Amino acid sequence: MPKITMSSPDLTDAERQAVADVMNTPMLSMGHYVKDFEQAFCDLTGAKHAIAVNSGTAGLHLCVRAAGIGAGDLVITTPFSFVASSNVLLFENAVPLYVDVDPKTGNIDPAQVRDALENTAKYLPRKGANPDSKIKALLPIDVFGQPADMDPLIELAEEYNLAIIEDSCEALGAEYKGRPAGMLGDYGVFAFYPNKQITTGEGGLIVTDNDEHADYMRAMRNQGRAPGDTWLQHTHLGYNYRLDEMSSALGAVQLSRLDEILPKREQVSKWYEERLANVPGVETLHIEENTTRMSWFVYVVRFAPEIDRDALAQKLIANGIPVRPYFAPIHLQPYMIERFGFQRGDYPITEDLGDRSLALPFSGVMKESEVEQVCQTIEKLIK
Ligand SMILES: *Cc1c(COP(=O)(O)O)cnc(C)c1O
C-alpha cells in the first residue's frame, strides 16, 4: 500500500509545463509571470493590488511595516496560530497583545478583543511591554481555512482607529458572509507552502486596496526600490522578498485550477466527517453559519479529555499514519516565554485546543480508502 502522507500538493502536467516554459527563457525573476500571477489574483479576489512575495511570513512582515507598526506598539492577535503571525510583530519589536480564542473554531473572539481595547492593562504580558504603548492594529487569523468573525472586528477597528491585517494564509478561497477571506481587512495575506490549498513551493501574496501602501510594499519586497528608482537606487532600507518566475508560473496554473482543487479538498473533509461521526471521543471542526464557504486547509480533530492525545499520536505514527499536534500555542514557545514571561494557564482555551487536537493526513489528492485506513486505525487505537 502507498504510504499515507501528512499533506500532498495537487499538481498536473499543466504546472510542470508552465515551470518548464520559464526555464526556456532567460528571465527567471522579475518578468511577466509574477505580474500575470498577481493579475489573476486581483481578478479572483477583486483586490485592487496583489503583491507576490517569497513566503506568507514575508507578506505579513510587509503589512506590519506598511501599517506603521514599530517598536513597543501593541497588536491584538491570538496565540492559537502558526508562529509566523506573531513573529512578524517581534521582527519590528512590536508586542502581541494576546486574547484567547473561540473554543468552537479556534478563531479570535471579538468579545475579548473589545475587552482588551477597554481594559488593556489586564491583557499586557508580564514583561517586555510598556503599559503606555498604543494599540495599533488587529491581526486575526483565519484558522484552518475558516474566516474569523470579521464584522465585529471591523467595527472595533473603526471605533479605535486600528489597521486590520488578516492572516488568510490558511484560507484561500474561503468566504465570510459571501465575502472572500483576505479581503476583509486593510491587508490580507495568503501563503503557498506545499501543504497549502495552492502552492508555489515557497511563496506568499498580499492583497490591499491602498495604493500608497501597495507601492511601499512593492518597494520593500524589492530592496527598497521605490517607483522611479533605478537598479542601484534605494529609497528605503528594503528586503529581498521577491517571488521568482518559476514559482509564479506554478502559482498561476494552481490558481486557475482553484475551482477544481477546493472541491476535492471539501470531498476529503466530508469523507472524514462522515466516517468520524460515529467514533466516540473524536470531535470534528465546527463550521460557523457566517462561513459561507469553508476552504479546508488541514483536517484537525479534537479528542475527549480522557483520551491521551500524545500516546495516541505516537501509536498512529507507529502504525504508518502521520499526525501532528496543531497548533502548539505560540505563547508557550521558549523564546516567547523568555521575552514576555508567559506561563501555562495564561490562555486556557488555546492551551486546551493545543492539548487535545491532532491534524490528520489531509490533501485534495487523498483517496477515500486512505481516509478509511486513517479512521479505522484511530478507532482501533482509542478502544
Ligand atoms: C502557513 C502560514 C503562514 C505563512 O507561512 P510561510 O511558511 O511563511 O509561507 C502564516 N500564518 C499561518 C497561520 C500559516 O498557516
Side-chain angles (χ1 to χ4, degrees), residues 55-57 60 81-82 84-85 141 167 169-170 191-193 196 202-203 297 326-327:
S55 72
T57 308
L60 289 166
S81 176
F82 181 61
S85 60
I141 295 109
D167 181 344
C169 289
E170 305 194 343
F192 311 125
Y193 186 75
K196 309 278 179 182
E202 297 285 355
F297 166 55
Y326 204 83
F327 294 110

Side-chain angles (χ1 to χ4, degrees), residues 211-253:
D211 300 335
E212 189 193 325
H213 290 190
D215 276 347
Y216 175 72
M217 292 191 281
R218 283 200 186 95
M220 291 301 282
R221 81 170 162 185
N222 185 24
Q223 304 283 16
R225 295 181 186 100
D229 280 358
T230 62
W231 187 249
L232 291 180
Q233 248 180 339
H234 306 268
T235 298
H236 312 284
L237 168 63
Y239 308 97
N240 180 354
Y241 282 170
R242 295 185 302 260
L243 189 69
D244 66 68
E245 291 286 281
M246 288 76 73
S247 302
S248 303
L250 171 53
V253 179

